[in-house]
Structures are given as C-alpha cells and as structure tokens.
C-alpha cells in the first residue's frame, strides 16, 4: 500500500511512473499530494514474472500504463493528465461502449473495469452502487499490500500496441463481507492501446474475465456485519499497479 506526502523535498522519484513528482504547482491531487507507491512497488518487484530490459518496448508500455493508472486514481482534473489525449480518449472494457476521459475519471478505474450487464441477482460486484471512493476503499482493505500489475508480452508496437498483462495481490483483508484467506488472487488479460505521436493514449481496450479475480475474493467465509471493515480504509493509501 502507499501513503501520501505533501513535502516534495522528501519524495524520491518513482522509477515506474512518469509525471508523478515533476508536476506544476497547480496540479490537483485527490488526497492533497502525489501518492507514494513504495509498498506496491515492493510487491511488484517480489512477485513479477518478467523483468524487462531498460528502454525495451515492454518496459515502456508497462511504465506508461502504470503512469496512466496513477493519474486516473490520484488526479481530479483531466486537464492535469499527461498520459492521454483527452479529446479522443476512450476506455473500452470487454467490448462494451467506450467511456470518455471524464466518464472514466468520475466512475473510477475499479467501477469502469468491473461494470457488468449481468442481471442484478447474479452480480457479485455492483459498480452502479459504488462511488469512486468506496470502490477504491474496498480493494485497499482487501489487498493491503497493493494490487500489482505487469506486462507479460507485447505483440505490436505503436501506434497500436497489443499486450498481455497480469494483475495480482494477496487477499489479507475483508472484502464485501467475506473473510480474508491470505491467498494470492490474480487475473490475466489482453489490452490494446492506441497512442498518438506523443505516446498519449487515445483509447484503451481491456479484455479479461473478472471471475478470475472474484473467485479468490469471495472464497473466504462470510463474516458478521459487526466485523466488516471493507469500507473503513483511509484515503491515504493509493496502491494500484
């Protein structure tokens, strides 16, 4: 998990995310200052299955996506984003209708990725009932060491970048009334990233099976309402990717 620090003198540069500590004074951060990713970087380095050569296409793509997720999770204004072309940007998940930059920012990455067209009685996660904050809090509590992300393969270079990815963490806190198991939870997926000449994302397509994730998060036994803490996380622990 990460913490936030508003004193730039004490913040070391993040080696996986651009535009984190070189921002203009007027950048609006969701929690008052840029996030610190020390914990999830540790999880990433200990659990990754690939270690890409510095400057390779795989490393460039991996770091670009980490930087985009950082902006999406921790900046509040599209005008402060440097990883996307805001006029053209679309997020497309499993072939659904694309979300604009403003729609994605308002909804949040978890709700955008986990939105489902299944009948209500079969939904294990109801994105329409979650806010940006509640969705992030639920996963921060469930995966206290963070939710790491890596590129497994890159199949084509810009302007249309196709890649395979892995997302993982350890289920060590409650999730939606289910007790933690301490086990690894993970899923794999395919992404297609269209970029402009400045390597800013114009659209991001993601294809994956969310049941891979929820099979792990719903595995633990149900706990009583008095023991549930999945919405009690503070907002000062950004941790994704």
């Amino acid at each position: 998990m990460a913490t936030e620090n508003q004193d730039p003198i004490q913040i070391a540069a993040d080696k996986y995310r651009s535009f984190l500590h070189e921002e203009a004074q007027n950048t609006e951060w969701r929690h008052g200052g840029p996030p610190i990713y020390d914990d999830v970087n540790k999880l990433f380095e200990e659990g990754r299955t690939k270690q890409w050569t510095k400057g390779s296409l795989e490393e460039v793509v991996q770091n670009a996506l980490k930087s985009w997720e950082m902006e999406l999770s921790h900046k509040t204004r599209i005008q402060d984003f440097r990883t996307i072309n805001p006029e053209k940007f679309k997020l497309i998940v499993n072939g659904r209708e694309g979300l604009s930059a403003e729609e994605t920012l308002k909804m949040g990455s978890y709700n955008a990725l986990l939105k489902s067209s299944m009948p209500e009685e079969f939904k294990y996660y109801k994105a329409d009932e979650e806010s940006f904050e509640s969705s992030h809090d639920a996963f921060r509590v469930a995966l206290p060491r963070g939710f790491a992300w890596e590129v497994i393969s890159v199949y084509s270079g810009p302007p249309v970048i196709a890649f395979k990815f892995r997302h993982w963490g350890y289920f060590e806190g409650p999730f939606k009334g289910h007790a933690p198991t301490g086990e690894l939870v993970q899923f794999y997926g395919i992404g297609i990233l269209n970029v402009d000449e400045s390597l800013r994302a114009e659209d991001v397509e993601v294809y994956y099976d969310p049941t891979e994730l929820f099979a792990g998060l719903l595995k633990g036994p149900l706990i009583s309402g008095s023991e549930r803490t999945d919405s009690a996380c503070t907002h000062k622990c950004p941790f994704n990717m």
Side-chain angles (χ1 to χ4, degrees):
M1 203 180 269
T3 56
E4 295 191 2
N5 189 328
Q6 297 183 39
D7 182 355
I9 296 175
Q10 300 178 14
I11 300 175
D14 188 283
K15 53 189 171 182
Y16 304 116
R17 296 164 186 84
S18 303
F19 318 128
L20 186 54
H21 303 309
E22 54 190 70
E23 298 292 342
Q25 291 278 334
N26 61 353
T27 296
E28 289 192 5
W29 294 99
R30 189 170 296 277
H31 308 302
I36 297 173
Y37 282 88
D38 290 353
D39 287 347
V40 75
N41 285 348
K42 182 174 185 290
L43 177 67
F44 166 73
E45 290 167 359
E46 292 175 349
R48 61 187 168 184
T49 61
K50 304 287 186 179
Q51 189 161 351
W52 302 114
T53 302
K54 186 173 178 61
S56 65
L57 178 60
E58 291 85 356
E59 188 208 40
V60 169
V61 172
Q62 183 169 262
N63 292 353
L65 269 294
K66 287 177 183 285
S67 299
W68 169 68
E69 184 281 330
M70 174 275 295
E71 292 193 311
L72 177 60
S73 293
H74 302 295
K75 294 182 178 181
T76 61
R77 304 183 303 182
I78 291 297
Q79 68 196 63
D80 293 330
F81 281 45
R82 296 173 64 183
T83 59
I84 68 170
N85 182 333
E87 289 78 26
K88 294 185 177 182
F89 181 84
K90 291 287 183 182
L91 174 62
I92 301 163
V93 180
N94 288 337
R96 293 196 298 270
E97 182 178 355
L99 298 169
S100 70
E102 289 288 355
E103 289 171 330
T104 304
L105 179 60
K106 181 180 179 180
M107 184 178 294
S109 55
Y110 285 114
N111 290 333
L113 290 168
L114 296 172
K115 188 176 177 61
S116 171
S117 58
M118 293 178 68
E120 287 297 313
E121 61 267 28
F122 297 122
K123 288 182 180 179
Y124 30 74
Y125 180 89
K126 298 184 178 181
D128 293 339
E129 297 179 5
E130 300 284 349
S131 66
F132 184 109
E133 290 77 13
S134 70
S135 63
H136 278 252
D137 286 350
F139 283 92
R140 287 183 183 121
V141 169
L143 308 171
R145 283 193 264 171
F147 202 8
W149 186 94
E150 69 171 333
V151 161
I152 299 296
S153 300
V154 175
Y155 305 115
S156 61
V160 181
I161 304 168
F163 59 94
K164 181 180 180 180
F165 66 88
R166 171 178 171 249
H167 217 342
W168 78 97
Y170 286 88
F171 183 24
E172 297 171 326
F175 180 79
K176 299 297 181 183
H178 288 265
T181 64
E183 296 178 358
L184 172 72
V185 294
Q186 64 179 343
F187 65 88
Y188 292 81
I190 295 293
I192 303 171
L193 179 66
N194 283 270
V195 298
D196 64 15
E197 62 277 2
S198 300
L199 294 182
R200 297 182 305 167
E202 294 189 338
D203 61 63
V204 178
E205 295 184 57
V206 179
Y207 298 90
Y208 78 109
D209 180 1
T211 60
E212 288 188 64
L213 171 63
F214 287 110
L217 293 177
L218 303 180
K219 186 177 181 180
L222 288 171
I223 54 180
S224 68
S226 63
E227 295 174 301
R228 290 186 61 174
T229 59
D230 50 310
S231 61
C233 181
T234 70
H235 292 285
K236 293 191 175 182
C237 46
F239 75 139
N240 285 0
M241 295 179 70

